[in-house]
Amino acid sequence: LTPGFDVASGSVLNCTFSEPVSESDIRAEMDLLGHPEASIQKVGDNGVFIRTTMLKQAGQSETSKSEQEIILESLGELAAIQSREVDTISPIVAEETVRKAIIAMVVASVAILFYITWAFRRIPNSFRYGVAALLALVHDLVIVLGTFSILGKVANMEVNAMFIVGLLAVAGYSVNDTIVVFDRIRENVARNIDRPLISSVNTSLLETFGRSLNTSATTMFVLIALILFGGPTILSLLVVLLIGVLVGTYSSIFVASQFLVMWEQGEIGRVFRRSRRTQAQSN
């Protein structure tokens, strides 16, 4: 993953020049100022977005001026700076942001498990529905993280605060889509107690398949429009939501529901027993 400055310590300078300035000239200036690690991105014709390690304040640098002031003066020699915006995130704040995001995801997952177990308490093995929903949720989040790790290398897509918000939103959307399918399974199981679970699941999937696809398709149309016209500020959030909606629709049908059937038929236990036998034979 490519961390953004708000989940990794650093400073960001957002400057707008009076005339176009080449990226190579800005790179040369940053190298001379001792920041070869700086990430430089052009914004429009005259704007530039620079991300560096944490800049020193006036009392920390070798001169009486802060590094921020020195950099802005040097860039001002290339062209007059019309507007500037500087943000700095300390390592403590960055670590706190990541820590709170992890805690929020864990708390949400535990709450989802207990709520689904309680909501489906009138049908046999309600705990399995909560576990299956969490399994689908983990599947969705892993796919999102894997996709962003690729986009970070290919398109320099960063993991920032908007990405964290998107992950939490994907968690809610994924579980919501799964519960829609599970609710229909609950109705069919309650109406046909003697029917095998695999038949009730199959019937429920056929009954909810069209609705799940239609709901996801309309959501994706809006997200695609926002990605095309919404601007770069919330791009990572929109990309996370788009991937999450697509994968969440898949997982609620092909992961969560199938996991219930596998558990009911004892296939999960057979997988673990086969794994232990294979390990014993190799030893």
Side-chain angles (χ1 to χ4, degrees), residues 215-261:
T215 302
S216 299
T218 53
T219 305
M220 284 190 289
F221 291 153
V222 175
L223 292 174
I224 291 173
L226 288 172
I227 289 174
L228 294 176
F229 306 108
T233 306
I234 58 173
L235 180 61
S236 57
L237 169 64
L238 298 174
V239 174
V240 169
L241 291 177
L242 181 62
I243 300 170
V245 168
L246 181 63
V247 178
T249 304
Y250 166 84
S251 66
S252 63
I253 298 173
F254 296 105
V255 176
S257 304
Q258 311 309 322
F259 185 77
L260 286 177
V261 175

Side-chain angles (χ1 to χ4, degrees), residues 4-9 89-105 159-165 168:
F5 90 103
D6 43 3
V7 297
S9 61
I89 298 293
S90 68
I92 297 176
V93 174
E95 291 175 3
E96 186 72 8
T97 300
V98 176
R99 187 181 69 84
K100 287 185 176 180
I102 295 174
I103 292 175
M105 187 63 70
V159 173
N160 51 26
M162 287 291 99
F163 174 84
I164 296 175
V165 173
L168 294 171

